[in-house]
Amino acid sequence: MVAVPIADRDTEHVLHEPHSFVTKYIWSQDHKVIAIQYGVTAIAIGLVALVLSVLMRLQLGFPHAFSLIAPHDYYQYITMHGMIMVIYLLTALFLGGFGNYLIPLMCGARDMVFPYMNMLSYWVYLLAVLVLVAGFFIPGGPTGAGWTLYPPQAISAGTPGASWGILCMLASLAIFIVAFTMGGLNYVTTILQARCRGMTLMRMPLSVWGIFMATVLGLLAFPALFVSAIMMGLDALVGTSFFMPAMSSMGQPAVHNGGSPLLFQHLFWFFGHPEVYIVALPAFGIVSDLLSTHARRNIFGYRMMVWAILAIGCLSFVVWAHHMYVSGMNPYFGFFFAVTTLIIAVPTAIKVYNWVLTLWHGDIHLTVPMLFAIGFIFTFVNGGLTGLFLGNVTVDVPLSATYFVVAHFHMVMGVSPILVVFGAIYHWYPKITGRMFNETLGKVHFWLTFLGTYAIYLPMHYLGILGVPRRYYAYSNGIDFIPRSVQEVNAAITISAVFVAIVQLVFLFNVIWSLFKGPKADPNPWHATTLEWQTPDTPPKHGNWGPTLPVVYRWAYDYSVPGAPQDFIPQNVPPDDRIPAGREHGLKS
Amino acid sequence: MSLGIAFGAVIAGIVVWAMLVRKLSGRPWETNSAVVELGTYRQSEIPAAKIGLWTFLAVITSLFGLFISAYYMRMTHGHSALDSHTDWSSIPKPTVLWLNTAFLMGSSVAMQWARHAASQGNTRVMRSSLAIGGLLTLAFLLGQLAAWSQVHDSLCFSLRNPAVAFFYVLTAVHGAHLLGGIFVWGRTLQRIGNQRTALESRLTVELCSVYWHYLLLVWLVLFGLLLST
């Protein structure tokens, strides 16, 4: 049986444009609406996590000033903040939000290949968020086991939320994974099967490559979290002993016997480390496109960038145990995981060099998206370099329980991707809404956020080197090796954190105000080459492309091509005598 | 065994890498005219639903692979509360599992038969063999419930025994996947009953058969695991 490619069957395709409010905006199967639904939900729950982080910082910076934050609250805030930011904000926003919006538009498709499943994916994700939030309203509150949910602590008496909170968390994670799988199958299949004519794999923008590889990682890694969630749920609910060892609690032997907490750690980090790249790879791809577009240069080393994405994706599955050095392991295993961890720095460094070389001799426009993209490079290099320290067993062991890890992690996995998220929202805002945002407010938002986050996280490295332990509610009870000045640094960090949190209101105001009052946007305000900017309507209508699908004639990075009438040639412009095909580095053969 | 798995993984990695090198060697910035590269469409000729199913099977492979890894690790890492010996106590294998395996094999054969009939355009045979395949799957699921009951009634039953806990979890997760298949099977039968001819249903039936064969393979691996430990 020979099937006809989707792009070649387009004439048979009848667009059933939704007309009622419900089918257009609620039970919508349009990838753009689903992307916005994902984005709004992820940002909303992300704001909850932001407030939790401010509460934690208030406690650390001014320990005796806020009596409303009890120790068990603090641990619940840590746990919920971490899990929400990593899974429910970043993963959902990059893949459910940007993935949904960009894949069909950048590949020249009318929609995802399974629109109904795409719609289900969002609603199941929303259910996962609601189950997670329900944890705040149940007896005992949400789990306070830390975002890694390590047993036996997570389900042992004495841990906040050890009865119902942990069950809410595990159920929510399992539901999230079901939602992600439905979305992920769509992203992979759409990229493989629904590209328009001429859009070869090696002509795809790097944003699509990053999202594609991150989705593959997610599809293969999330099952590890699913397995651990099921098994820990059974340990908690029916008294099995998958992870729970024999213990005494309050002088009485617990019901469990012989379980392996290390098994949970292996499963968790087999998911947990690829998760870093599930967030990072879309950010890498998107930032490549932002840098190229706003520097008016073709991306340096496109093919190497694609290979680096693939290499990072594969290597991310063989480094997980570097999160477990302090759990104890055979020294040969420690050596193996330290080596693989350092090897993964090679393709990552290639990407950083290529970003910098893309800027070299570029016609750099310091637009708001570009500022965020450049801010990302700085921050990622900072966070990446401290990762080299922590990847080595002997350095990691003394630093592992300190604020050095908090600083590293937030630089590389918190601030870096969030800068890309902001850059990407500003970059595609005109296409998504049809309006321009306020440039001045955008720049204010960037500078205050960028400098503010450095004021938060740079000092944390020094706290870590001093040995200040993380996960502590307070340091007031005579930890002799911690100098008194640490408290002053903590107060300064807290002030910066509150400041950065408040600055995000500028972003929210800009996004909402511009939606109604912003000037009408040009269909291609950045003079970009990729297909999403070439749609007949802005914002694109249902079906994206009007009566006929686009045809692609060139790669996504024909900027500043010598001899061309403009400094960009869109992917769907055929070559002719006046418009040549581009050459890498702007050279023409 | 771990060496064998590592060797297999390396070989598979080399093969995938070689395929990728071939595929991703384009120099897009140099392609001057190439209005439409027909080469692109070679993989596009595979129906999207088939790619979606194979991707889902990769997810299932990861899921069960991780369960099996956890099974082996729990077998060797766990210790009794009283001494350093493992707390793993093998369960008696319910004999009904052999009958269940035969049911699932039969359902897989019936699905393949339905696929063949669909390719021949024989709607009547397709419908009946599809129905037989589904019914045999339901028999398998009922048989698994009987096996659960037998293990529950056995002397070694204790939720603290990891062998018992894994038996229930693995069979439940596998059964849940089959139930998902049964849902699609029901819809397919309904559609065939409504208006579709064999040729139109061919893709759905083909995908059903692939899914059933795969879940049979997963079950054979799980059954082998249960028998050998």
Side-chain angles (χ1 to χ4, degrees), chain A residues 193 197 220 255 258 582-583, chain B residues 29-30 41 46 62 79 160:
Chain A
Q193 295 305 102
R197 281 167 169 258
L220 297 179
V255 292
R583 288 279 300 180
Chain B
W29 55 90
E30 283 186 352
Y41 289 110
I46 304 168
S62 175
H79 294 293
R160 295 205 304 177

Side-chain angles (χ1 to χ4, degrees), chain A residues 234 240-242, chain B residues 158-170:
Chain A
L234 290 171
T240 55
S241 298
F242 291 113
Chain B
S158 159
L159 284 175
R160 295 205 304 177
N161 179 0
V164 170
F166 266 111
F167 172 74
Y168 280 95
V169 168
L170 291 176

Side-chain angles (χ1 to χ4, degrees), chain A residues 3 189 193 195 197 200 202-203 220 224 234 238 241-242 246 255 257-258 266 303 310 552-553 575 582-584, chain B residues 24-26 28-30 32 35 37 40-41 43-46 48 62 66 73-74 78-79 81 87 159-160 165 169:
Chain A
T189 315
Q193 295 305 102
R195 302 189 307 276
R197 281 167 169 258
T200 61
M202 292 304 273
R203 281 178 177 173
L220 297 179
L234 290 171
V238 299
S241 298
F242 291 113
V255 292
N257 178 48
H266 279 293
R303 200 160 52 160
L310 295 179
V552 162
Y553 298 93
R583 288 279 300 180
E584 199 177 22
Chain B
L24 303 180
S25 58
W29 55 90
E30 283 186 352
N32 205 329
V35 175
E37 291 189 359
T40 323
Y41 289 110
Q43 70 276 39
S44 301
E45 286 167 6
I46 304 168
S62 175
L66 287 158
M73 281 184 72
R74 181 64 183 82
H79 294 293
D87 60 340
L159 284 175
R160 295 205 304 177
V169 168

Side-chain angles (χ1 to χ4, degrees), chain A residues 1-3 5-8 113-114 181 185 188-189 192-193 195-203 209 219-220 223-224 226-227 230-231 234 238-242 246 254-260 263 266-267 270 302-303 306-307 310 551-553 555 575 581-584, chain B residues 17 20-38 40-41 43-53 55-56 58-59 62-64 66-67 69-71 73-74 77-82 87 159-160 162 165-166 169 173 199 202-203 206:
Chain A
M1 179 170 55
V2 177
I6 289 173
D8 289 349
V113 288
F114 310 120
T181 306
L185 292 177
V188 167
T189 315
L192 289 178
Q193 295 305 102
R195 302 189 307 276
C196 66
R197 281 167 169 258
M199 180 63 86
T200 61
L201 287 175
M202 292 304 273
R203 281 178 177 173
W209 268 111
L219 288 172
L220 297 179
F226 192 78
V227 168
I230 287 179
M231 283 160 58
L234 290 171
V238 299
T240 55
S241 298
F242 291 113
V255 292
H256 303 288
N257 178 48
S260 171
L263 171 58
H266 279 293
L267 286 170
F270 188 79
Y302 171 82
R303 200 160 52 160
V306 171
W307 279 102
L310 295 179
V551 177
V552 162
Y553 298 93
W555 71 330
R583 288 279 300 180
E584 199 177 22
Chain B
W17 196 254
L20 281 175
V21 167
R22 211 173 129 255
K23 188 77 217 161
L24 303 180
S25 58
R27 294 167 184 264
W29 55 90
E30 283 186 352
T31 312
N32 205 329
S33 50
V35 175
V36 175
E37 291 189 359
L38 288 174
T40 323
Y41 289 110
Q43 70 276 39
S44 301
E45 286 167 6
I46 304 168
K50 200 184 261 187
I51 295 282
L53 177 67
T55 313
F56 184 55
V59 178
S62 175
L63 181 76
F64 281 100
L66 287 158
F67 264 122
S69 304
Y71 188 92
M73 281 184 72
R74 181 64 183 82
H77 283 199
H79 294 293
S80 156
L82 302 175
D87 60 340
L159 284 175
R160 295 205 304 177
F166 266 111
V169 168
V173 174
L199 276 174
R202 195 168 148 185
L203 178 62
E206 184 185 336

